[in-house]
Amino acid sequence: MGNDRLILWGRGSSRTMRVRWMLEEFGLTYDVNPIQSRTGETKTDSYTAINPKQKIPSLQLGDFVLTESPAIITYLAENFDPPPGFHVPRNKAEQATLDEWCFFTAMELDAHTIYIIRRHEGLTEIYGEAPQAVASAREYYSKQANAIADRVAAAGTYLFGDAFSIADIMLATCLDAGRRYDIELPASLDAYLTRVERRPAYRRAFEMNYEGLRTLAP
Ligand SMILES: N[C@@H](CCC(=O)N[C@@H](CS)C(=O)NCC(=O)O)C(=O)O
């Protein structure tokens, strides 16, 4: 890695929040190019050379570029010194359980539901109206949230007991989106999210990621 600095591209979205939060949890030094979606900033030639998908976030370290928020936070977890109390899988079964949480949140909560609600309810001027798809996505989100409620209640403070992990970053950012879309969360998930959002790194990352866009709950 030499003397290269970590550079985060993007701010203002739940996916950029994941990376910022992770960088703050690990106490890493990084620079930010605070480009935002739907401003044209993701479509410039220089940014398209970094991320041809024209999306944020991207992470740069010298010549190495990584996109996709779950992949970026996994990379950071696996390649930098974890802070005390951070969950590091000790065997393949623990790694698989961590993967299970990350893929579940990315696919079942983010891709199958939050994206649909965001695009076809919040951004209809770009993506068009699709009320049936939105209603179905809302129902599906609730079904999946209920399916994990007991497991989260039994897990302890975080998904891996007292140890915080990238799975918590994935789940919490997806639950925060559900709350913002006025989806009623099961009590155990609501309490879990409130607990996670008290973490100082979350609060620092939120203030920077959403500056001028959202206000941190007290
Ligand atoms: N799967 C990607 C999704 C990234 C994504 O959809 N980013 C949106 C903002 S949340 C974006 O950059 N949109 C481009 C634009 O609207 O200009 C990830 O998790 O990083």
Side-chain angles (χ1 to χ4, degrees):
M1 294 174 206
N3 292 324
D4 292 327
R5 285 173 73 86
L6 287 163
I7 304 172
L8 165 63
W9 288 83
R11 78 169 200 105
S13 84
S14 60
R15 286 123 203 157
T16 59
M17 174 67 187
R18 288 173 188 156
V19 179
R20 191 115 197 195
W21 185 1
M22 184 67 185
L23 290 162
E24 289 294 318
E25 288 286 351
F26 270 51
L28 293 168
T29 302
Y30 59 96
D31 297 324
V32 181
N33 281 317
I35 60 171
Q36 285 183 245
S37 30
R38 294 178 304 284
T39 57
E41 291 169 321
T42 59
K43 295 188 166 56
T44 62
D45 289 346
S46 57
Y47 187 65
T48 303
I50 290 165
N51 184 353
K53 290 176 275 189
Q54 301 184 324
K55 288 192 157 209
I56 47 172
S58 298
L59 185 79
Q60 249 186 315
L61 183 61
D63 293 337
F64 178 61
V65 175
L66 200 55
T67 63
E68 300 303 326
S69 55
I72 296 171
I73 62 175
T74 301
Y75 167 77
L76 292 172
E78 291 179 352
N79 290 281
F80 292 86
D81 290 338
F86 196 85
H87 175 67
V88 178
R90 288 164 302 184
N91 54 49
K92 289 187 177 175
E94 284 188 3
Q95 180 65 56
T97 304
L98 184 67
D99 292 344
E100 180 190 35
W101 274 118
C102 291
F103 286 120
F104 165 78
T105 50
M107 288 301 300
E108 305 304 328
L109 297 182
D110 206 0
H112 285 178
T113 57
I114 293 165
Y115 267 108
I116 293 169
I117 299 168
R118 177 74 181 135
R119 288 174 175 220
H120 299 295
E121 191 175 84
L123 298 171
T124 52
E125 70 285 4
I126 304 172
Y127 297 105
E129 293 192 10
Q132 204 173 341
V134 171
S136 160
R138 286 180 166 278
E139 202 178 308
Y140 189 78
Y141 184 103
S142 295
K143 181 178 170 169
Q144 296 305 319
N146 282 315
I148 59 168
D150 287 350
R151 196 168 159 195
V152 172
T157 310
Y158 306 117
L159 292 177
F160 293 92
D162 288 336
F164 185 75
S165 72
I166 56 170
D168 292 298
I169 291 183
M170 289 302 299
L171 180 59
T173 48
C174 290
L175 295 180
D176 172 61
R179 249 191 204 162
R180 281 169 56 219
Y181 297 143
D182 293 323
I183 298 174
E184 193 177 340
L185 299 177
S188 67
L189 298 192
D190 200 52
Y192 162 84
L193 180 56
T194 302
R195 260 192 321 273
V196 171
E197 289 181 347
R198 281 197 206 111
R199 291 182 70 80
Y202 172 86
R203 301 180 75 80
R204 283 196 305 276
F206 187 104
E207 295 281 20
M208 295 185 281
N209 184 61
Y210 293 116
E211 190 186 353
L213 302 170
R214 287 181 65 189
T215 309
L216 189 57

